[in-house]
Amino acid sequence: MSEKNPLNSLIIHPDIEPGVIDNAMLTRCILEYGPIEEAGRLFAEEGVHLDEAKIVRLEFQNILRIDHLWMLTSLTKLTLSHNLIEKIENLELLTGLNELDLSFNKIEKIENLEALTNIEVLTLFHNKIRKLENLETLTKLLVFSIGDNLIEDYKEMAYMRRFRFLRSVSFKGNPCCDDPMAYQFLKSALVKVTYLDYKIITEEEREDGRALFRGLLRKLDEADEKAEKERIAKEDYDARVEFYALSFVEYLSGPELMEAMFEKDADGSLLLKIGGELLNYYEEYKEQYVETMAGLVTYAQQAYNERQNEIKLFKDLVDNALADSVNKSKEAVKQFEDKKAQFLNQMNELIGKFTAKQATLEQLEPNIVDLGESFNDALFELWKNLMTIEMHLYEQCEESRTQFSVNLTEKITKLLEVSRGAFGAWRESEVVWSSKQTDALTKLVGNKVMLGDAPADLFEVMMDRDTLMNLIAQSSDNHMRFIDAREDLLTTRANNWREQLVSGTNDNEIKRNRDRILEINFFIDNQREAWTDMQMSMTEAVDPEAVALLGDDF
């Protein structure tokens, strides 16, 4: 089939130089499609911050290669349509992307989208794609456009059945659409899709397709059912691993880790191929490992629950102390406000007498000065009370933090003691395994009859005792290093968790204390300024000398 005429050649002027994505292009396009009029002017004056851009449209730029987009860390929608792009690449850091438009390009293969797990809308219209592939991780896909490409087999679209949330598909314009059965298959096979080429699929249309493709659809349903069971099993397994990870014992609850140890040990895996008695010893080793680690996992989960209870207890203590501090502070402020109201009434009485010419300023001056001093005394008393309440709160929280740190340290230390015991038992099992392995294999050294159909590389090893012993020793060393690494990982993560939690708690309390002190001082300063402003406003009718007198006093 002859290839269709490239529509891009009609859209993009051939004399325009190829575009290169750089800061200048990104800035220009963001401004071009950004706010307009006054909002646009202000947006341009503030400057374009690429790391804050949520929508970027790079259309009709003759772009040959996707590049230089790593700084767009906040991007949710990216349009690269109507360019000359031949390969999907360099998008792996745009993990927040919800919409991606690569229509009207020259892309031949769907690839390098694995990291974009938040994609909901993917447009690949008018490219050169022949196969649907590499989209498995895009589990949130809602809208998919693959129209006007080079897909020749409409059954290729059965690939899209795996997307549980897919509701709209655009497929028109592919070579296989010339087959009258294509759309009947699509409407019956894509059972979760509501819109096909922007038209609602009716139940009658689905039923017509089912009658034609009953056998094929049954096979697809069986495959989907199997895939769904595998997905659920994987999600359940991942959830358990995540839960165990909170206890620092992920992958220790079964034989997986030990099996992985042998998989990574080429020497040990080779020797296991001897089979027979050695496999029985291997199964015994595995059973001992599972039993040993089961005890560690059980204790680790119990320890996790105890740590969570300790955290909750500490949080409750701090929250209660904070609530008590807030109530005491409110009471102190209320008492001050009551006194302040009395001072205001007295000041208004003095100003009233002066305004009514019942007394001269010289006669009122001692009362005004005394009133100002009383206000300042009350304000200072409030400051002392608030600071005392905060000091007691800080000391109370510090005592709780200290005890919290001690308790967590004790719990982590106990966990690590149990861990050392379990890993020590694992090492002992490894020594026993290595000894049994040596006994079983040395019996077969040089015995061509007993070796039977052993692989060539294993046969060669078994012909020389020194080579065999070196291989056994090397395998045991590999295992010991593997065990050490896993224990170190548990120890490091547990200690780091404790350190980060305790230091984070301390840092948060120090910040809270500093903010509270600033808040108190700010409140006191505002009260003082408000009193002064009130005085000055009440003396607007007084001559400048009186205003200066009152201002100097207060």
Side-chain angles (χ1 to χ4, degrees), residues 410-464:
E410 290 178 353
K411 294 182 184 304
I412 291 297
T413 300
K414 180 59 178 176
L415 171 64
L416 296 183
E417 287 177 0
V418 175
S419 170
R420 279 192 293 272
F423 281 94
W426 187 4
R427 292 185 183 90
E428 292 175 3
S429 297
E430 170 62 29
V431 171
V432 173
W433 153 255
S434 182
S435 175
K436 290 182 177 180
Q437 183 185 40
T438 302
D439 293 341
L441 292 176
T442 51
K443 297 175 184 177
L444 302 175
V445 173
N447 192 330
K448 296 181 180 180
V449 176
M450 294 294 293
L451 290 172
D453 297 329
D457 48 355
L458 178 59
F459 189 88
E460 182 180 351
V461 169
M462 296 301 295
M463 288 298 103
D464 183 79

Side-chain angles (χ1 to χ4, degrees), residues 227-264:
E228 181 66 7
K229 289 180 179 179
E230 292 175 350
R231 182 189 65 81
I232 293 174
K234 183 178 184 303
E235 288 183 354
D236 180 62
Y237 177 77
D238 291 342
R240 284 189 289 111
V241 168
E242 184 177 353
F243 174 71
Y244 288 138
L246 297 174
S247 307
F248 317 116
V249 291
E250 64 275 21
Y251 305 112
L252 294 178
S253 61
E256 292 94 341
L257 190 64
M258 198 185 107
E259 291 171 350
M261 180 177 73
F262 275 87
E263 288 174 4
K264 293 181 179 181

Side-chain angles (χ1 to χ4, degrees), residues 32-283:
E32 181 177 351
Y33 293 106
I36 59 175
E37 298 181 351
E38 181 63 17
R41 185 186 67 79
L42 295 174
F43 179 69
E45 285 183 0
E46 291 177 359
V48 175
H49 301 282
L50 297 180
D51 60 338
E52 297 177 1
K54 294 186 178 297
I55 300 176
V56 171
R57 298 175 62 180
L58 301 174
E59 302 170 291
F60 298 102
Q61 302 297 319
N62 268 35
I63 296 168
L64 294 174
R65 184 170 183 265
I66 303 174
D67 201 1
H68 205 69
L69 297 176
W70 56 268
M71 74 289 291
L72 301 173
T73 53
S74 300
L75 202 61
T76 59
K77 181 177 180 179
L78 174 63
T79 301
L80 287 163
S81 62
H82 298 286
N83 285 293
L84 303 172
I85 298 167
E86 297 181 351
K87 183 178 182 179
I88 303 174
E89 59 184 338
N90 299 319
L91 295 173
E92 60 273 4
L93 296 181
L94 306 183
T95 54
L97 214 56
N98 299 133
E99 298 185 33
L100 176 61
D101 186 352
L102 291 166
S103 57
F104 293 98
N105 279 287
K106 299 178 179 293
I107 297 167
E108 297 182 357
K109 182 178 181 180
I110 302 175
E111 59 185 333
N112 300 319
L113 295 174
E114 293 81 4
L116 307 186
T117 55
N118 290 306
I119 287 286
E120 296 178 356
V121 179
L122 178 60
T123 305
L124 297 170
F125 186 84
H126 193 89
N127 278 281
K128 299 181 178 182
I129 297 168
R130 297 178 182 273
K131 181 178 177 60
L132 298 180
E133 57 185 337
N134 302 321
L135 294 172
E136 290 80 3
T137 61
L138 276 59
T139 56
K140 298 180 181 179
L141 196 61
L142 288 169
V143 179
F144 180 57
S145 174
I146 192 65
D148 207 16
N149 275 275
L150 301 177
I151 298 175
E152 298 181 352
D153 184 0
Y154 58 78
K155 295 177 183 177
E156 184 78 21
M157 286 298 289
Y159 177 88
M160 303 307 298
R161 287 166 59 95
R162 71 191 63 209
F163 298 102
R164 293 183 294 154
F165 305 109
L166 187 63
R167 295 296 178 265
S168 177
V169 172
S170 170
F171 190 65
K172 185 177 180 180
N174 283 283
C176 61
C177 291
D178 296 335
D179 189 327
M181 299 181 69
Y183 277 91
Q184 289 178 304
F185 174 75
L186 294 178
K187 291 173 182 178
S188 60
L190 302 181
V191 293
K192 296 183 177 67
V193 173
T194 304
Y195 298 93
L196 179 60
D197 289 337
Y198 312 107
K199 295 180 181 179
I200 293 180
I201 303 174
T202 66
E203 190 56 35
E204 292 78 8
E205 290 173 328
R206 292 191 195 276
E207 202 54 50
D208 291 342
R210 291 191 191 105
L212 287 173
F213 299 98
R214 196 171 305 278
L216 176 57
L217 291 176
R218 184 168 56 251
K219 292 181 180 179
L220 291 175
D221 288 340
E222 291 173 355
D224 287 347
E225 184 178 357
K226 179 181 177 182
E228 181 66 7
K229 289 180 179 179
E230 292 175 350
R231 182 189 65 81
I232 293 174
K234 183 178 184 303
E235 288 183 354
D236 180 62
Y237 177 77
D238 291 342
R240 284 189 289 111
V241 168
E242 184 177 353
F243 174 71
Y244 288 138
L246 297 174
S247 307
F248 317 116
V249 291
E250 64 275 21
Y251 305 112
L252 294 178
S253 61
E256 292 94 341
L257 190 64
M258 198 185 107
E259 291 171 350
M261 180 177 73
F262 275 87
E263 288 174 4
K264 293 181 179 181
D265 174 26
D267 298 329
S269 298
L270 176 63
L271 295 175
L272 274 179
K273 292 179 181 178
I274 204 72
E277 184 182 26
L278 190 61
L279 284 182
N280 293 332
Y281 291 150
Y282 171 73
E283 291 301 324

